[in-house]
Amino acid sequence: MCGIVGYVGRETAAPILLEGLRRLEYRGYDSAGVAVYNDGGIQVVKTKGRIQALAQQVEERGGLAGTIGLGHTRWATHGAPSDVNSHPHVSANGRIAVVHNGIIENYAEIREFLQSTGVRFASETDTEVVAQLLEYYYRGNLLDAVTKVLHRIQGAYALGILCADCPDRLIAARKDSPLILGFGDGFHVLASDVTAVIEHTREVCYLDDGEIAELTADHCWVYDAYLRPVEKERRHVDWEISAAEKGGYEHFMLKEIMEQPKAVHDTITPRIRDGAVVLDELEFSTSYLKSLEKIYIIACGSSYHVGMAAKYVLEALLRKPVEVALASEFRYCNPIVSERTLALVISQSGETIDTLAALREAKRLGARVLSIVNVVGSTIARESDGVLYTWAGPEIAVATTKAYSTQLAVVDLIGLAFAKTMGTLGDEEYKALLEALERLPQQLEEILTHREQIQYLASIYFNHPSVFFIGRNLDYAVGLEGSLKLKEISYLHSEAYAAGELKHGTISLIEPGTLVVALAGCRPVFEKTMSNVVEVKSRGADVLGLTIAPLESAVGKVVDYTLTVPETHPLLLPSLEVVPMQLFAYYVALMHGCDIDKPRNLAKSVTVE
Ligand code: F6R
């Protein structure tokens, strides 16, 4: 989604802004621009296309002098991707420049109003109304104009504002869209994402909804919506800059797949002490956990797929009903939630707007919220009653891999810890599951060493236009993720089906040459799954099987090729099975020459509904 970067200090702003935008590229965008104050006015360069094209245009303009400016990557919502619709947008007199993430919902009404006063709009965007409205309200006091605009606009926004009449300061404001302030020696930065600023500073603070910030080179003031000063807590970010670089890999996605053993290790190890899971971060009492009526898992996309696996795991371990909801549906389905509901919210970015809105709705209805989040200090983390971080480090590829794996690991930790508290798991079973969990990083390493085999199979199957992933129980949950990985990065059509459901309609699509990926590692349903595999095989499908090593020969008798993962505790199967699925998707996309880290139309952090 859109990205914002801003700088005010003593150095030339343009190179800092362009570098910040490069670091935000992974979020997905279709155009980019910068605005810099210099010599009495604001200079804007913006273009449809890549940052490289923008950098070239900046160079052609002599590099843009000036020590204060804003940059933006746009992911089009209102108005097609084009030079003129790119941000920054300037007011009619050219004195005020604005960058914006989010959507101004009442922009049409404001636009009409401003047009009736004679304002002429240059673009089709919702954002331009903010720049024009600022000019309309500006009477020499920028903050006053900003608050008037903020009271008039509705929707979600992170805003960066530069005014030629106050050339020593940037204004920032947020509602429902993330914005971070970074503190340096003689400079301040603002950004929608911490990766854009860690090269310059690790001291940051997160703006909360309704807050406005005023930044000069040496000072930072934060106010509430009525301009009352607000004290902000600073946080130290300890992500390494190298984690946001490719480190010799062709793509971030492959690098992040390869980082999974370490990410899972880093996520579980600090939380296992003396043979037990210890979740110091949480303060849920035994009586509260025992009184729970249900757990409602809320998430989107791959995080939702983690939720699908979590349902099987948590119901098995806690013997409590678990419902899994797509965040975008949860808000509008009149959900049955009470004080005895625990909402388990899963999000890599911690900023997905649908998930955040669903979290707020769950809280409003009385639930307590436990979140699993990767980005420290993100909005979902801050608004939860308890948060368990996944220590995956920054995830840059749009398609998630290591965040998914660490989310699964946290689900397993929650299952173990809560089961102990609630007394739903015997000591022997607890020990066996915990030991299996601790073995995962090494087993993940083992799977990754055999990735050439998956590359070979991808070279055989990459031309199939349509792929079905089938499996039962936890295999089905992994199939959902395998299918999403494949379609999002290779653009092949694929679908995941519960294997037993196929014959209720979808099997009519199976014909000679259709590729079916059969996940058959789940022992309790193995025979049943294999019956479904035989059904597709006898209709001529090409079948690629995925199972655990001890079942290889049984699967191999039915399918064309078999991939295996080491045996683990049945509840941990997704943690291993997902890796060959990620690699398969990766190599298929590679063979199609796709833009793997930045698939078309997709964004890393989805901050619009
Ligand atoms: C797919 C993918 C997305 C995200 C989804 C939720 O590879 O990454 O489906 O899982 O957009 O994002 P978060 O987890 O940041 O809330």
Side-chain angles (χ1 to χ4, degrees), residues 165-177:
D165 290 356
C166 325
D168 64 337
R169 62 201 58 214
L170 293 175
I171 306 289
R174 92 154 248 178
K175 181 175 161 283
D176 293 339
S177 212

Side-chain angles (χ1 to χ4, degrees), residues 300-303 347-349 352 398-400 407 484-485 488 606:
C300 301
S302 294
S303 297
S347 175
Q348 185 282 129
S349 60
T352 303
V398 164
T400 182
Q407 288 168 350
L484 178 61
K485 285 282 93 69
E488 68 179 330
V606 183

Side-chain angles (χ1 to χ4, degrees), residues 5 180 182 189-191 193-202 204:
V5 57
I180 291 155
V189 281
L190 75 96
D193 186 324
V194 77
T195 47
V197 304
I198 48 175
E199 200 180 348
H200 305 288
T201 177
R202 280 154 192 286
V204 303

